[in-house]
Amino acid sequence: MTIHCNYIGGEWREGQGTIANINPSDTNDRIGEYAEASPAQLDEAVAAARQAFPAWSRSGIQSRSELLDRIGQMILDRRAQLGELLAREEGKTLPEATGEVVRAGQIFKFFSGEILQLRGELQPSVRPGLEVSVTREALGVIGLITPWNFPIAIPAWKIAPALAYGNCVVFKPAELVPGSAHALAQIIAEAGVPDGVFNLVMGPGRVIGDALVNHPQVDAISFTGSQNTGRRIAAVAAARLAKVQLEMGGKNPLVVLDDADLDTAVECAVNGAFFSTGQRCTASSRLIVTSGIHDRFVEAVCERMKALVTDHALKAGTHIGPVVDERQLKQDLDYIDIGRGEGATLVCGGERVERETPGFYLTPALFTGTEPQMRINREEIFGPVATVIRADDYEQALALANDTEFGLSAGIVTRSLKHASHFKANAQAGMVMVNVPTAGVDYHVPFGGRKGSSYGAREQGSYAREFYTTVKTAYTLA
Ligand code: NDP
């Protein structure tokens, strides 16, 4: 039996046990065994990163840029095999998985160029004879903790800027999807990263993740995952004064106004709510629809949903892959029961179905007649379940859109420039979408939210440097 090892201090190391990687489209398909790092190995990884930091942070932007470019190219060259592995372990469809792999490659390429853009400032001092410079430096050792729903893109958008700006990395992926993380680590190692600069430690969050967050030699933590875990991490990081960045959940609204183009509205809703099996932090889980278009919209969305094929992620023609695992499937089904119990009407889908292979198949579910206070409208379900909330007019729709503790992405479908502009200015979200789905973003601009969705500096694009660098102000007597 091959064990996929952790990568610590430039060596592939077995752990204290193994984690089985199971295909959610076919639970008989065991993808592989992945080494579970011990807490002592986590210490070794942090020590290796600490030791590598002085040389790496001074290594110069040319060599770091070239390394990132090589990594990006290797990811792109292997897109077919990485895409298949990702679809197999996470359950998103093969086109979605391959698209995610390509995105990861593009992100490495972006930061390969971005590091060459790093600028400082040189200013006259308010005191005669002095000169002031403001520059950015690497932070040190950064712990990266990622969720299961984007097994290669989220690691890429944390690892690439961390390395680009001269930091060393200890990366802990979600234990449900170790395959893509391991394949990415292999590429980073093959591309020639110096020993200790990049380390992979697989294992459960409550053990390895917790040890990473608590480690006194880890200068900063970048985390993407659920709000509960994020809160805990923020508290630990604050107590030991470590820099922290959190990207968490969403309960993203898509507002559909009477004047919307119906086809655009349906496309935005179906894509945003159900693609990637609804397992996206930017998913449109609340569809807020004004009365004049409500019935036509619901009818057209249901028609479109009936045409969606829920099946094995690797099968040609599948639109919706399985839910990631049994626990998440149970959570989705529980919320469907909760919605029914709260008096909402399940107008389409929401059934566990069987396919040729044993997997966690759930048809996309749509609730109508929902009220803003229902749990299905307040809590993140993180599955292919969307609700429709009826609104009288734009003003009420906007108020409903903002009536949530989250604030990641918010969308509107309208032909009114006035309402689109007003929504862009007044939606309480980090990202606003006009006539496009709430999910689906570019990689060269900031990603992140407000309120309970995000904490700390933005990720991606040039804004990533806020988190991955620290500022130095130097005074020189000329
Ligand atoms: P979790 O919070 O359960 O896990 C996220 C990561 O944290 C995993 O690697 C997990 O490890 C680890 N972890 C768990 N407990 C701890 C702990 N005590 N200390 C340190 N690390 C820990 O989230 P999910 O994996 O279930 O991911 C789904 C969530 O991610 C959703 O809420 C979704 O909205 C959010 N998300 C947010 C995005 C954003 O950018 N805003 C993007 C994508 C997802 P392990 O799983 O191995 O135990």
Side-chain angles (χ1 to χ4, degrees):
M1 180 178 64
T2 308
I3 295 176
H4 298 80
C5 292
N6 290 299
Y7 190 61
I8 299 170
E11 287 176 11
W12 294 99
R13 302 266 304 275
E14 288 194 12
Q16 62 179 8
T18 56
I19 305 159
N21 191 357
I22 306 290
N23 181 348
S25 298
D26 178 1
T27 52
N28 292 327
D29 176 22
R30 217 174 157 102
I31 298 163
E33 306 297 321
Y34 291 78
E36 185 181 329
S38 67
Q41 287 178 320
L42 186 264
D43 286 344
E44 286 181 47
V46 174
R50 198 79 262 160
Q51 201 185 348
F53 177 66
W56 179 246
S57 58
R58 288 196 292 267
S59 59
I61 56 175
Q62 182 63 33
S63 60
R64 298 209 295 269
S65 171
E66 286 171 6
L67 175 74
L68 292 180
D69 187 57
R70 277 198 299 282
I71 296 169
Q73 195 55 51
M74 288 164 80
I75 293 170
L76 294 174
D77 291 346
R78 297 179 196 180
R79 69 184 73 180
Q81 85 199 60
L82 291 170
E84 187 180 320
L85 173 63
L86 199 161
R88 222 172 130 205
E89 72 174 352
E90 200 272 351
K92 63 182 67 172
T93 65
L94 189 56
E96 289 172 330
T98 309
E100 186 186 330
V101 170
V102 169
R103 173 55 56 97
Q106 290 166 332
I107 290 166
F108 274 95
K109 293 248 176 195
F110 173 84
F111 283 104
S112 160
E114 182 64 15
I115 186 59
L116 304 178
Q117 305 291 326
L118 192 61
R119 288 184 179 82
E121 295 157 35
L122 188 62
Q123 288 179 231
S125 167
V126 293
R127 289 174 285 167
L130 280 180
E131 198 177 73
V132 189
S133 68
V134 182
T135 52
R136 287 180 180 272
E137 295 181 356
L139 279 177
V141 175
I142 309 207
L144 306 178
I145 301 177
T146 57
W148 49 260
N149 63 336
F150 283 92
I152 196 162
I154 294 179
W157 81 51
K158 295 182 191 295
I159 295 168
L163 296 181
Y165 292 112
N167 302 286
C168 293
V169 164
V170 179
F171 166 41
K172 195 220 87 69
E175 64 181 324
L176 267 181
V177 290
S180 300
H182 184 271
L184 179 58
Q186 268 181 326
I187 287 176
I188 294 172
E190 269 179 55
V193 74
D195 293 352
V197 168
F198 170 83
N199 303 271
L200 170 73
V201 284
M202 297 175 283
R206 63 187 181 284
V207 182
I208 293 300
D210 188 63
L212 185 58
V213 173
N214 276 288
H215 204 295
Q217 292 295 313
V218 174
D219 300 290
I221 297 286
S222 178
F223 164 85
T224 300
S226 63
Q227 215 188 31
N228 281 343
T229 310
R231 262 207 194 96
R232 213 170 306 143
I233 289 176
V236 173
R240 65 178 192 83
L241 304 180
K243 194 170 181 180
V244 67
Q245 171 184 63
L246 311 173
E247 288 297 346
M248 299 167 287
K251 195 71 190 170
N252 309 292
L254 177 74
V255 169
V256 177
L257 297 185
D258 286 355
D259 67 5
D261 173 70
L262 187 62
D263 289 343
T264 306
V266 171
E267 187 51 38
C268 288
V270 170
N271 175 324
F274 305 125
F275 285 8
S276 296
T277 319
Q279 298 173 151
R280 294 189 284 193
C281 50
T282 48
S284 316
S285 45
R286 294 182 299 140
L287 309 173
I288 300 168
V289 187
T290 48
S291 291
I293 196 171
H294 178 280
D295 294 356
R296 279 183 295 137
F297 172 79
V298 169
E299 192 184 333
V301 169
C302 287
E303 275 308 301
R304 180 88 166 73
M305 287 171 71
K306 284 178 196 148
L308 294 174
V309 175
T310 302
D311 208 330
H312 196 298
L314 294 176
K315 219 175 192 176
T318 295
H319 300 109
I320 310 290
V323 171
V324 73
D325 72 349
E326 184 80 56
R327 198 185 59 139
Q328 185 64 44
L329 178 64
K330 180 177 180 315
Q331 178 169 313
D332 297 347
L333 290 168
D334 284 352
Y335 271 110
I336 289 169
D337 283 346
I338 289 167
R340 282 205 189 98
E342 286 177 313
T345 309
L346 183 66
V347 284
C348 194
E351 286 160 19
R352 181 169 191 176
V353 287
E354 295 196 352
R355 295 293 179 253
E356 275 170 28
T357 48
F360 308 115
Y361 298 108
L362 175 66
T363 55
L366 186 70
F367 278 108
T368 57
T370 77
E371 297 298 330
Q373 294 314 316
M374 290 178 174
R375 283 183 63 192
I376 52 169
N377 277 325
R378 305 218 74 82
E379 298 168 20
E380 186 182 46
I381 300 172
F382 216 56
V385 183
T387 64
V388 177
I389 310 175
R390 190 190 282 265
D392 293 337
D393 52 24
Y394 167 71
E395 283 69 27
Q396 193 192 10
L398 173 66
L400 287 165
N402 287 335
D403 180 20
T404 167
E405 66 169 305
F406 295 103
L408 188 57
S409 183
I412 188 166
V413 186
T414 179
R415 279 188 275 218
S416 155
L417 182 59
K418 181 176 145 216
H419 286 140
S421 304
H422 190 272
F423 189 78
K424 275 198 276 187
N426 291 283
Q428 294 164 4
M431 297 175 292
V432 179
M433 313 290 181
V434 178
N435 294 326
V436 283
T438 57
V441 296
D442 287 358
Y443 60 86
H444 66 307
V445 286
F447 178 95
R450 297 183 184 178
K451 303 201 275 189
S453 289
S454 299
Y455 184 82
R458 283 283 187 272
E459 298 200 81
Q460 301 205 54
S462 307
Y463 282 67
R465 69 170 172 257
E466 288 304 324
F467 181 73
Y468 290 101
T469 62
T470 183
V471 168
K472 178 173 280 172
T473 312
Y475 296 84
T476 308
L477 184 59

